[in-house]
Structures are given as C-alpha cells and as structure tokens.
Amino acid sequence: MQHFWNDPLGWGNAGIFIAGAVAVLAVVIFFVTYAIYFERKFIGWMQFRKGPNRVGPLGLLQTVADVAKLLLKEDTIPSKADKGLFVLAPVLAFVPSFVVLAFIPYSMNLQFADLNVGFLYYIALSGITTIAIVVGGWASNNKYSLLGGMRSAAQMISYEVPLVMSIVGVVMMTGSLNLRDIVIAQEGYFWDWNFLPQILGFGIFVISAISELNRTPFDLPEAESELVAGYHVEYSGFRFAFFMLTEYIYLYAIACLTTLLFLGGWNPPFPQLDFIPGVLWFFLKFAFIVFTIFWIRATFPRLRVDQLMSLAWKVLLPLAILNIFLTALGIELM
Amino acid sequence: MSEENENKPTTEQPAGSAPAEPGAEQATPAQSAAAQPATEQATPAQPSEQSATAQPAAEQPAAEAPRKETDEEKAARRKAAFEAKQAAKAAAAQAAAEAAKAAQQANASAPATAETPAAAAEGAPAGESPPAPPAPPSPSQPRLNRVVTLLRELVAEDAVEESYINEPNDHLPTLVIKNEHWLQSAQLFRNHTELACNYLRNVSGVDYETYMEVVYYPWNMDAREGYCIKVKVDREQPSVASATPIWETANWNEREIYDLLGIDFPGHPDLRRIMMPDDWEGHPLRKDYVPLDPEV
Amino acid sequence: MIRTEELLLNVGPQHPSTHGVFRIVVKLDGEIITEATPVMGYLHRGTEKLAENLNYTQIIPYTDRMDYVSAMTNNYVLVHAVEKMMGLEVPERAEFLRLVVMELQRIASHLVWWGTYLLDIGAISPFLYAFSDRERILGLFNELCGARLTYNYMRVGGVKWDAPDGWIDRVKTFVKDMYVRLDEYHNLVSGNEIFLARIKGIGQYDVKTAIEYGLSGANLRCTGVDWDLRKAEPYSLYDRFDFDVVVGKNGDCYDRYLCRLGEITQSLRILEQALEQFPGEGDTMGKVPRVIRPPAGEIYVRIESPRGEIGCHIVSKGKAEPYRLKFRRPSFVNLQILPKLLIGENMTNMVTILGGIDIVLGEVDC
C-alpha cells in the first residue's frame, strides 16, 4: 500500500484507498462479530454453559441476529437529552477507533499506512474516544451515565500515561516508533521478542491496555452492578451498537499492538518455522491475546474507583519510569 | 376449610361429639376447658383410641380433609380431638395459675401431664379458682419477681399492671407495663446492671379491638435471657413513647407499627410510613380497616 | 470559586444491585455518599393482614413468599410456633426431614448470596457456579415436594411428603460433592487480591453497634458474637448434632463472607450426621386435630434462618385463624444499619455493603 501514498491523489488512488478502507472495515466487522461470539462461547464454557447455540449452526449467526435486532430497534433519544451531542457521541467514539487501524502491519508487506510516529498515532486518536464517552455520558442527562462518563474520563486519561511510558523501553531498544521497524528488530528466536527483555514493560502495558479497553477488572465506567450500564445507559438500537463496536475494535487494536510490540509480530517463534506465512503467526498471537482478555473477564472481580486510580498513579507509573531507567542502563551496559 | 369447621362456627359447642364418645368434646378453647370439671375417664381408653386414630390421621393430614367423610373417620377424628382436649384440660387444671392465662399454660405442660392422669383428674375440679399450683413454679419465676420488684422500686409503684410467665413460650417472663411509665421502664431494662437488655429482638403491634398493644421483646445478650413487655394503649389516640433512642432496632419496627396500626411513637426520630405509600389512608392492620379501593 | 452541588441519586427500585425492588436515595458529593435514605414497601403484600383471615395451614404458602430464597426455614418458623402453642409432638422422621431440608436450604441460600455478591463485585463466573450447585438442591427439593422455590412442604405436626426412594442417598452424594465444590470456590475467590481489596475493612462495625441495631445471623456473628439460635436455643433436633458456630472478628464484609461460607461447611457437617442417623421408617405426620386451633394465648418463636433470627409472633384467640401474626424478618431488621454504614463511602462500596448485609426483598417488605 505504501507506494500509493507517494503518488499524487487521483481518482484511481482514491478508489484504491476507499476499497482498502472498506476491506479493513469488513475484516474488522467480521472480527467483532466473531469476537463477540467466541467471547460468549469461551465464557460459557468456563462457566459450564454451552453459550450461544441456537441461531445458525453452532450458534454462529447469533451475533448477526443480535446486530439485526439492534438495527431494527426503535431509536430512542431521551426528551431531556442534549440531542446534538447525544447523536454525535457514538460517531465520535467510532471514527477514531476505526482510523487507528490504518497503521497496523499484519505482515511484512500487508499494511495500510506505514507511519513513522506509529504508536503515538494510536494514543493521539484513541484519546478522542474518551471525549466521546464523556460527551455521551453528559448528553444523556442521566446521573448514572454522567458518573460513568466521568469515571471513564478519569480512568482512560490516567491509564494512557503508564501505557505510553511502558512502550518507551521498547522504543529505546529499537530506536524507532515505527511498528514495522519494531517487529523487524525482534527477529530471531522467541526469546528475542520484546516481552522477555521488557517483561516489566509488558506487564504494565497489558494492565494499562485492559484498563484502556474498559474491560474487567477495569470495567468501572459501565460497572453494571453500580452504574447499571454507565455512560451508554440511555443508548439503544444502533447508537448502542456503535459503542459496542468501538469497544471491540479497540480490543482488536490493542491485541494487534501487543502482538507487534511485545510478541514479535509476524515472526515465528523459531526461525526454522518461517515457511508458515507470517500472517498466520500474527493471527495466532493475536488470538491468544484476545483469548486471554476474555479469560480475565471470566475470572476477576472489579476494582474500586480509588483503587483503580491509585494503581495507575502509585504503582504502574513509577514502575514504568523504573522500566525506562533499567532499559537505558541495559542499553548503556551492553 | 373442612366440613367440620363449617358445621361449628362457635368453637365452644361440642356439637355431635356426644353420641360418638360420651363426655368427649371437640377441641374447644382451653379457658372453657379449664373451667369445666374433668369428668372424663379418657386415659385408660387412650391406647386403643390411639391405634384407631393413627391410621386415618396419617393418611389424611389435617389440611386435606375431604368434604365427605364416613362415620368411622369422623369418630376417629373426634377421638383425636378428644385426646388433645383431654390433655389440655388436665394440664390446665394442674397448672392453673390465673384463669385468663390458663390456656397458654395448658398447652405447654400437656405432654408432661398426660402421663400422670390421676394427678390431672384431681386437679381438674379446681380449675376455676386460682389456687397454689401443684406443679413446681416456673424456673423463670424468680426473674419475673425480681423485675417486678425493680420496676416497682425504681420506676413507679404502679408501673406493672400485670405480670405472668408465658409457659408455652419457654417460660418467658411477661409484663404489662403502664403506658406512662414505659419510657422509664425501657431505660431500666436497657441500663440496669441486673437486666442489661442490650438487644431488642422484636417489636409487634396488636389491635385487640378494645385497645391496642405494643409488644417488645428485649434480650440480654450476655446472660442470654429475655422478657416480653406489653404496653397497652388506648385505641382512639394510640401513643406509646418511642424506644428508638434506647434500642436502635425499634426504629423501623415502630415505623412499621405506625404505618400498619396507626400507633404514634413520640420521640421517634423519623416516624413516616414505611410499607404503604405515603398518601395511603388508614392503617391496614387495624381490625376495623376498610379498604378504600373497591377492587382490592 | 467553583459552585459545587450534591448529586441526588436514586438507586432502585429497579437496579441490578439492590437485589429486588429496594430503593435507596443517596446524596453524592462526587462519588462519596453523604446521606442515604432507604425506601421500601414495593413488595409489601400484606402477608400479616392476609394471615388474619386464613387458617394456619393456608398461611404456610404465604411464608414461602417472604424469604423466597429460604422458604423452608420460613415454613418451619410458622409450623414450629403453632406446634409449640398446641404442644404437638412431631414424629422423628418428619423432624429429620425438616432438619435436612432446612440445612439444604441454608446451603442453597448462602450459595445464592455468594454468587450474587460476587456478581455485585464484578465477577461473573462464580454466580453461575453457585447456581449450578443450588440447582442440584432445588432438584432434590423438587423430588421431595414438587416445587423448586416455594415449597409449601411443612405442615403443623409434620411434613407433607415423605422422602421418595433413594432420596436420602442422593442428598448424601450431594453433600459429598459439595465439600469438593466449596474448596474450589475458596481457591477461586477467597484469596483473590482484587476481591480482598474490595471487601476487607469495608462496612465495618463493632459488637456494640451490631447489638444496638439488633442484627442477627452472619451480620452479628461477623463481629465475634457467638450467637446462633441453633446452638443458643436449640430447636428441632439441632442439639443432637455436633457443629460449630462460625464467628468472625473484625465485623467487616470479609468476615461476613467467611462466616457465610463457613456456615455452608457447618451445614454440610450437620447434614452428614443427620443423614447418618436418619430413621428408616416412621410417620411423617403427627397426630393433629383436623382443624388447627391453637389455644388462646401468645407466643414468640424464633429460629435461625440463613439471614438471621426469623421470629413468628402469634396471638391466638383459640380460633382456626390467628388473631394477629407478626413475623420478625431478619432482612428487615438487619437492613436498618445500612444508612449508617453508607455515610462517607463511595458508590462502589455501597454495593459491597448492601450485598454484604444479604437481604431478600420479599422478606423486608413482607
């Protein structure tokens, strides 16, 4: 894809870009559909249940049916809500989540846009979703959603700090923010992947990432036992579906990022195995991360707001800074 | 509702029992039982009756009584009732402390006294007047006496209207305390070192149609002993001093009594309706309550 | 100067964590609760009023619907009160059956509490594990009396149905399995750091406060008071069995949690012994007059329900219907302490504390 960027923008180019975007969207929507399906299946199995098994063979069309239901549902807007913002919020949440996917390389050559700022691009754009959540919570004119939105803002802003800091070690080792360069630097055996030399950073990254995703045990913004559904309590129908979609696309993005930054991207664990295409390795690692996140959801209870905040600022952030020092020390000594 | 019950709206009527079993009566309230002389010869006959009753009683538990019954079953049933009655009478006669309280006592001691029919028969004719009971005094009697003394000394001479042992209820010392002395008495129960009732088990309100009653069950958590205190109150303007400042437990219980029975509790921090809607009219647990909504 | 306002938040009556139609109006300063006012009565069905026009056997199904998570103990408190008033003897086999179902019910009730409490705290799986075990108990009850929630099983003088063939053995198997499951639960949850951080030291009160507010059950025992009516005032056959009263120390949510799980173990111990001694033959109904007319008088009987001291105060005038029937509902009394505990806590702890008290709304509102 990269060479198209250098050509002047014409009808042909624009068509290719649009086709590429639609392809990514299709892949992502396919992923979301089956991520939800597998999440429900996995958690069902973990809880001695069967999970969805009625719609389609093995329940494979369950999510399709759910989406169809959401589409057909009446679109309700609370009468006291701020209509403009209420309508804007789901779009504002969804667009950045989709745009961040542009820079993810799936293999050596399969990439939509090769950005040198790489990871910073993700951080910058995903921050906009936070605003959307606050806007949605505020515009709903509901106390629960307001509390949920506020919590969400506090949480996502707090956790972005350790999230970025935890990457610094990787960036220092590679000398680049570009994701392709980071993956190329991890070539070799699996102990060359970043998760071992950067084990501290890896841990911080995973914790912060789950928190950024608002998933258990950090699902406070939508803690159903306290805030009913948090910021999207008033949303229904397709507006709600957009929030869901956003959430799962970020799950997709974070799983990709973890794979790329710490698990060697498309590199096989042993160089001898490189006859298997890189995309497959990428997918396996990606699936493992996604599965782990589902697994955590079925296992852990939820943190409390103050504990969540003190974890970010008192534990993760100092550790992330320590990690930077240790990495610098390591680079200096070796 | 069984046929038998419909046949006998007045419970004291020993209807239809005489032909089947001379001297036998259906289960009547025990007061009347206590009052009547015990003419029966029941106990010698009991073993055979038991074998006769055992079968139908096991087959048809009380609640499932069929509408049509054979004479045989009826007789058996009467015998069962008769036996219960018999025991109650004998016991009542023996225990007989106060005529009004005889009923409660009758039941508790029934199993015990049934084994000594001779004693029961002897005691029976004396049922009406309250003589010194031949049975050993209740184990709670000293406690009751002590509480009454304390209340007389420390609260007021006339604070205790009435006091007795509620024998079926594990010999619970029961006191009826004058409404105007209730608050002081409650403080005594709570704070006096001998009583030290730091725990309030239950608060009930009862509408007796001529008056109302609030029943408190304080309990001493360390000594593991309790009392029952009743406060009688006029039905027109019912008002009992709140026990909430003394026992926090009373808070919602008193609100509930206020809500359902309309008894006022001056001194209560937050006396509002608790179960019924705020704009509800009337107090549903009162015996003369008429639902406003015709559909209810 | 920024103008700040307190936020008045209405939690309930439809809210996932109020466990029924309970409503609590909280004033929030940020997320800190400055005032909490419980509002109830949404499930008030006037059981006590209805009972005044029903005979005693007809009241039994109404007791099922009070604490619908623990219907067996509710059945028992009523029939026990009437039996005590009338001085009735209950056949041994019936009493054994009652005891077994009450203890199974206690386990079922604590399992519901355990599952929903963890759900409140945000863990979803334990809920399903607990319910799958409870399901087995409900299956056993179903075999016994044909109902899974509102059993209407006990009668004055005995029980309605005898145990079907092999039932006792199935209970034995269940008891054996439950020990294993309970260990798994402890492994899964009791040591989880997040869980401990959420409930340790939360909703703490001391012995004095607990007694002052008339708490009972695990809510009282968590402060260290050795007060279990099964031991303190043995009813039924509890004095025949060897079991311990589980007490806590700190009076916080964590101790309440341990008390309740400990009670499951103790119930299993009681069940083991009871099933061992279970009489092979015998009547399940004692000799009871056709129409139950307790003699005139008054009685207050209390037993240990999974939630605490459930009491039944009957005023009889010698009729087939009670003159006044009042239930002392443990949930109702225990809930009184809630507004006091909530002051100064945040919204999240509200859920933890409310769940820790273990209320059933059918019982609170009666």
Side-chain angles (χ1 to χ4, degrees), chain B residues 284-287, chain C residues 47-54 59 321-325:
Chain B
L285 266 183
R286 286 198 178 205
K287 290 285 177 186
Chain C
T47 307
E48 290 170 4
K49 181 73 180 173
L50 288 167
E52 288 176 9
N53 295 309
L54 299 169
I59 301 170
E321 301 88 21
Y323 186 74
R324 170 87 168 94
L325 179 66

PDB file of all heavy atoms in Angstrom, chain B residues 284-287, chain C residues 47-54 59 321-325:
ATOM      1  N   PRO B 284     -53.820  -0.465  57.670  1.00  0.00           N
ATOM      2  CA  PRO B 284     -54.401  -1.736  57.220  1.00  0.00           C
ATOM      3  C   PRO B 284     -54.507  -2.828  58.268  1.00  0.00           C
ATOM      4  O   PRO B 284     -55.409  -3.640  58.185  1.00  0.00           O
ATOM      5  CB  PRO B 284     -53.442  -2.190  56.107  1.00  0.00           C
ATOM      6  CG  PRO B 284     -52.691  -0.993  55.720  1.00  0.00           C
ATOM      7  CD  PRO B 284     -52.662  -0.084  56.884  1.00  0.00           C
ATOM      8  N   LEU B 285     -53.625  -2.857  59.227  1.00  0.00           N
ATOM      9  CA  LEU B 285     -53.679  -3.990  60.157  1.00  0.00           C
ATOM     10  C   LEU B 285     -54.711  -3.787  61.267  1.00  0.00           C
ATOM     11  O   LEU B 285     -54.898  -4.665  62.089  1.00  0.00           O
ATOM     12  CB  LEU B 285     -52.303  -4.253  60.763  1.00  0.00           C
ATOM     13  CG  LEU B 285     -51.457  -5.298  60.036  1.00  0.00           C
ATOM     14  CD1 LEU B 285     -50.156  -5.526  60.766  1.00  0.00           C
ATOM     15  CD2 LEU B 285     -52.189  -6.617  59.904  1.00  0.00           C
ATOM     16  N   ARG B 286     -55.348  -2.634  61.283  1.00  0.00           N
ATOM     17  CA  ARG B 286     -56.412  -2.443  62.262  1.00  0.00           C
ATOM     18  C   ARG B 286     -57.578  -3.351  61.922  1.00  0.00           C
ATOM     19  O   ARG B 286     -57.877  -3.581  60.750  1.00  0.00           O
ATOM     20  CB  ARG B 286     -56.876  -0.988  62.254  1.00  0.00           C
ATOM     21  CG  ARG B 286     -55.898  -0.065  62.910  1.00  0.00           C
ATOM     22  CD  ARG B 286     -56.609   1.202  63.255  1.00  0.00           C
ATOM     23  NE  ARG B 286     -55.708   2.123  63.943  1.00  0.00           N
ATOM     24  CZ  ARG B 286     -56.139   3.066  64.757  1.00  0.00           C
ATOM     25  NH1 ARG B 286     -57.439   3.223  64.951  1.00  0.00           N
ATOM     26  NH2 ARG B 286     -55.292   3.857  65.358  1.00  0.00           N
ATOM     27  N   LYS B 287     -58.219  -3.815  62.960  1.00  0.00           N
ATOM     28  CA  LYS B 287     -59.291  -4.784  62.727  1.00  0.00           C
ATOM     29  C   LYS B 287     -60.480  -4.140  62.012  1.00  0.00           C
ATOM     30  O   LYS B 287     -61.241  -4.824  61.340  1.00  0.00           O
ATOM     31  CB  LYS B 287     -59.753  -5.374  64.066  1.00  0.00           C
ATOM     32  CG  LYS B 287     -58.712  -6.274  64.686  1.00  0.00           C
ATOM     33  CD  LYS B 287     -58.645  -7.621  63.977  1.00  0.00           C
ATOM     34  CE  LYS B 287     -57.531  -8.454  64.584  1.00  0.00           C
ATOM     35  NZ  LYS B 287     -57.311  -9.703  63.851  1.00  0.00           N
TER      36      LYS B 287
ATOM     37  N   THR C  47     -48.830  -9.704  54.021  1.00  0.00           N
ATOM     38  CA  THR C  47     -48.922 -11.094  54.487  1.00  0.00           C
ATOM     39  C   THR C  47     -49.581 -11.187  55.860  1.00  0.00           C
ATOM     40  O   THR C  47     -50.415 -12.055  56.103  1.00  0.00           O
ATOM     41  CB  THR C  47     -47.507 -11.700  54.559  1.00  0.00           C
ATOM     42  OG1 THR C  47     -46.878 -11.505  53.298  1.00  0.00           O
ATOM     43  CG2 THR C  47     -47.549 -13.159  54.882  1.00  0.00           C
ATOM     44  N   GLU C  48     -49.212 -10.259  56.731  1.00  0.00           N
ATOM     45  CA  GLU C  48     -49.724 -10.347  58.095  1.00  0.00           C
ATOM     46  C   GLU C  48     -51.228 -10.097  58.127  1.00  0.00           C
ATOM     47  O   GLU C  48     -51.953 -10.718  58.901  1.00  0.00           O
ATOM     48  CB  GLU C  48     -48.984  -9.346  58.979  1.00  0.00           C
ATOM     49  CG  GLU C  48     -47.531  -9.760  59.195  1.00  0.00           C
ATOM     50  CD  GLU C  48     -46.687  -8.695  59.862  1.00  0.00           C
ATOM     51  OE1 GLU C  48     -47.239  -7.646  60.231  1.00  0.00           O
ATOM     52  OE2 GLU C  48     -45.478  -8.906  59.996  1.00  0.00           O
ATOM     53  N   LYS C  49     -51.676  -9.193  57.279  1.00  0.00           N
ATOM     54  CA  LYS C  49     -53.115  -8.927  57.230  1.00  0.00           C
ATOM     55  C   LYS C  49     -53.852 -10.110  56.601  1.00  0.00           C
ATOM     56  O   LYS C  49     -54.895 -10.534  57.097  1.00  0.00           O
ATOM     57  CB  LYS C  49     -53.349  -7.659  56.409  1.00  0.00           C
ATOM     58  CG  LYS C  49     -54.807  -7.234  56.291  1.00  0.00           C
ATOM     59  CD  LYS C  49     -55.328  -6.663  57.575  1.00  0.00           C
ATOM     60  CE  LYS C  49     -56.785  -6.232  57.456  1.00  0.00           C
ATOM     61  NZ  LYS C  49     -57.309  -5.824  58.766  1.00  0.00           N
ATOM     62  N   LEU C  50     -53.308 -10.615  55.532  1.00  0.00           N
ATOM     63  CA  LEU C  50     -53.936 -11.758  54.862  1.00  0.00           C
ATOM     64  C   LEU C  50     -54.061 -12.934  55.818  1.00  0.00           C
ATOM     65  O   LEU C  50     -55.066 -13.638  55.823  1.00  0.00           O
ATOM     66  CB  LEU C  50     -53.105 -12.170  53.647  1.00  0.00           C
ATOM     67  CG  LEU C  50     -53.140 -11.241  52.447  1.00  0.00           C
ATOM     68  CD1 LEU C  50     -52.033 -11.619  51.481  1.00  0.00           C
ATOM     69  CD2 LEU C  50     -54.475 -11.300  51.765  1.00  0.00           C
ATOM     70  N   ALA C  51     -53.023 -13.113  56.637  1.00  0.00           N
ATOM     71  CA  ALA C  51     -52.991 -14.273  57.521  1.00  0.00           C
ATOM     72  C   ALA C  51     -54.135 -14.249  58.514  1.00  0.00           C
ATOM     73  O   ALA C  51     -54.584 -15.292  58.983  1.00  0.00           O
ATOM     74  CB  ALA C  51     -51.656 -14.317  58.249  1.00  0.00           C
ATOM     75  N   GLU C  52     -54.641 -13.066  58.822  1.00  0.00           N
ATOM     76  CA  GLU C  52     -55.694 -12.986  59.826  1.00  0.00           C
ATOM     77  C   GLU C  52     -56.998 -13.597  59.331  1.00  0.00           C
ATOM     78  O   GLU C  52     -57.918 -13.823  60.100  1.00  0.00           O
ATOM     79  CB  GLU C  52     -55.906 -11.527  60.243  1.00  0.00           C
ATOM     80  CG  GLU C  52     -54.744 -11.020  61.084  1.00  0.00           C
ATOM     81  CD  GLU C  52     -54.859  -9.552  61.431  1.00  0.00           C
ATOM     82  OE1 GLU C  52     -55.914  -8.957  61.170  1.00  0.00           O
ATOM     83  OE2 GLU C  52     -53.876  -9.007  61.956  1.00  0.00           O
ATOM     84  N   ASN C  53     -57.105 -13.814  58.049  1.00  0.00           N
ATOM     85  CA  ASN C  53     -58.313 -14.422  57.507  1.00  0.00           C
ATOM     86  C   ASN C  53     -58.078 -15.821  56.964  1.00  0.00           C
ATOM     87  O   ASN C  53     -58.908 -16.340  56.236  1.00  0.00           O
ATOM     88  CB  ASN C  53     -58.894 -13.546  56.403  1.00  0.00           C
ATOM     89  CG  ASN C  53     -59.348 -12.222  56.956  1.00  0.00           C
ATOM     90  OD1 ASN C  53     -60.083 -12.183  57.935  1.00  0.00           O
ATOM     91  ND2 ASN C  53     -58.877 -11.139  56.368  1.00  0.00           N
ATOM     92  N   LEU C  54     -56.928 -16.386  57.293  1.00  0.00           N
ATOM     93  CA  LEU C  54     -56.623 -17.718  56.775  1.00  0.00           C
ATOM     94  C   LEU C  54     -56.372 -18.642  57.946  1.00  0.00           C
ATOM     95  O   LEU C  54     -55.904 -18.201  58.990  1.00  0.00           O
ATOM     96  CB  LEU C  54     -55.365 -17.656  55.902  1.00  0.00           C
ATOM     97  CG  LEU C  54     -55.427 -16.775  54.670  1.00  0.00           C
ATOM     98  CD1 LEU C  54     -54.036 -16.620  54.090  1.00  0.00           C
ATOM     99  CD2 LEU C  54     -56.350 -17.386  53.644  1.00  0.00           C
ATOM    100  N   ILE C  59     -51.745 -20.474  55.684  1.00  0.00           N
ATOM    101  CA  ILE C  59     -50.723 -19.414  55.769  1.00  0.00           C
ATOM    102  C   ILE C  59     -49.373 -19.917  55.269  1.00  0.00           C
ATOM    103  O   ILE C  59     -48.557 -19.151  54.784  1.00  0.00           O
ATOM    104  CB  ILE C  59     -50.601 -18.895  57.212  1.00  0.00           C
ATOM    105  CG1 ILE C  59     -51.945 -18.336  57.673  1.00  0.00           C
ATOM    106  CG2 ILE C  59     -49.558 -17.798  57.324  1.00  0.00           C
ATOM    107  CD1 ILE C  59     -51.992 -18.025  59.132  1.00  0.00           C
ATOM    108  N   GLU C 321     -58.051 -19.252  62.802  1.00  0.00           N
ATOM    109  CA  GLU C 321     -57.206 -18.240  62.179  1.00  0.00           C
ATOM    110  C   GLU C 321     -56.462 -17.502  63.278  1.00  0.00           C
ATOM    111  O   GLU C 321     -56.991 -17.323  64.373  1.00  0.00           O
ATOM    112  CB  GLU C 321     -58.047 -17.226  61.387  1.00  0.00           C
ATOM    113  CG  GLU C 321     -58.882 -17.809  60.281  1.00  0.00           C
ATOM    114  CD  GLU C 321     -60.247 -18.262  60.770  1.00  0.00           C
ATOM    115  OE1 GLU C 321     -60.685 -17.770  61.829  1.00  0.00           O
ATOM    116  OE2 GLU C 321     -60.844 -19.125  60.103  1.00  0.00           O
ATOM    117  N   PRO C 322     -55.264 -17.069  63.009  1.00  0.00           N
ATOM    118  CA  PRO C 322     -54.562 -16.301  64.037  1.00  0.00           C
ATOM    119  C   PRO C 322     -55.231 -14.944  64.222  1.00  0.00           C
ATOM    120  O   PRO C 322     -55.745 -14.360  63.260  1.00  0.00           O
ATOM    121  CB  PRO C 322     -53.150 -16.145  63.469  1.00  0.00           C
ATOM    122  CG  PRO C 322     -53.297 -16.312  62.012  1.00  0.00           C
ATOM    123  CD  PRO C 322     -54.462 -17.224  61.790  1.00  0.00           C
ATOM    124  N   TYR C 323     -55.210 -14.456  65.436  1.00  0.00           N
ATOM    125  CA  TYR C 323     -55.756 -13.123  65.659  1.00  0.00           C
ATOM    126  C   TYR C 323     -54.783 -12.080  65.149  1.00  0.00           C
ATOM    127  O   TYR C 323     -55.172 -11.079  64.556  1.00  0.00           O
ATOM    128  CB  TYR C 323     -56.022 -12.930  67.153  1.00  0.00           C
ATOM    129  CG  TYR C 323     -56.726 -11.630  67.460  1.00  0.00           C
ATOM    130  CD1 TYR C 323     -58.072 -11.480  67.159  1.00  0.00           C
ATOM    131  CD2 TYR C 323     -56.044 -10.564  68.024  1.00  0.00           C
ATOM    132  CE1 TYR C 323     -58.721 -10.292  67.416  1.00  0.00           C
ATOM    133  CE2 TYR C 323     -56.684  -9.375  68.282  1.00  0.00           C
ATOM    134  CZ  TYR C 323     -58.032  -9.248  67.979  1.00  0.00           C
ATOM    135  OH  TYR C 323     -58.667  -8.061  68.221  1.00  0.00           O
ATOM    136  N   ARG C 324     -53.537 -12.335  65.386  1.00  0.00           N
ATOM    137  CA  ARG C 324     -52.500 -11.456  64.858  1.00  0.00           C
ATOM    138  C   ARG C 324     -51.283 -12.319  64.623  1.00  0.00           C
ATOM    139  O   ARG C 324     -50.917 -13.138  65.464  1.00  0.00           O
ATOM    140  CB  ARG C 324     -52.173 -10.352  65.864  1.00  0.00           C
ATOM    141  CG  ARG C 324     -50.954  -9.517  65.536  1.00  0.00           C
ATOM    142  CD  ARG C 324     -51.296  -8.362  64.644  1.00  0.00           C
ATOM    143  NE  ARG C 324     -50.187  -7.413  64.553  1.00  0.00           N
ATOM    144  CZ  ARG C 324     -49.259  -7.447  63.588  1.00  0.00           C
ATOM    145  NH1 ARG C 324     -49.308  -8.365  62.655  1.00  0.00           N
ATOM    146  NH2 ARG C 324     -48.294  -6.541  63.558  1.00  0.00           N
ATOM    147  N   LEU C 325     -50.685 -12.138  63.467  1.00  0.00           N
ATOM    148  CA  LEU C 325     -49.492 -12.903  63.137  1.00  0.00           C
ATOM    149  C   LEU C 325     -48.441 -11.911  62.697  1.00  0.00           C
ATOM    150  O   LEU C 325     -48.660 -11.140  61.768  1.00  0.00           O
ATOM    151  CB  LEU C 325     -49.803 -13.880  62.003  1.00  0.00           C
ATOM    152  CG  LEU C 325     -48.659 -14.739  61.512  1.00  0.00           C
ATOM    153  CD1 LEU C 325     -48.225 -15.691  62.583  1.00  0.00           C
ATOM    154  CD2 LEU C 325     -49.079 -15.518  60.289  1.00  0.00           C
TER     155      LEU C 325
END
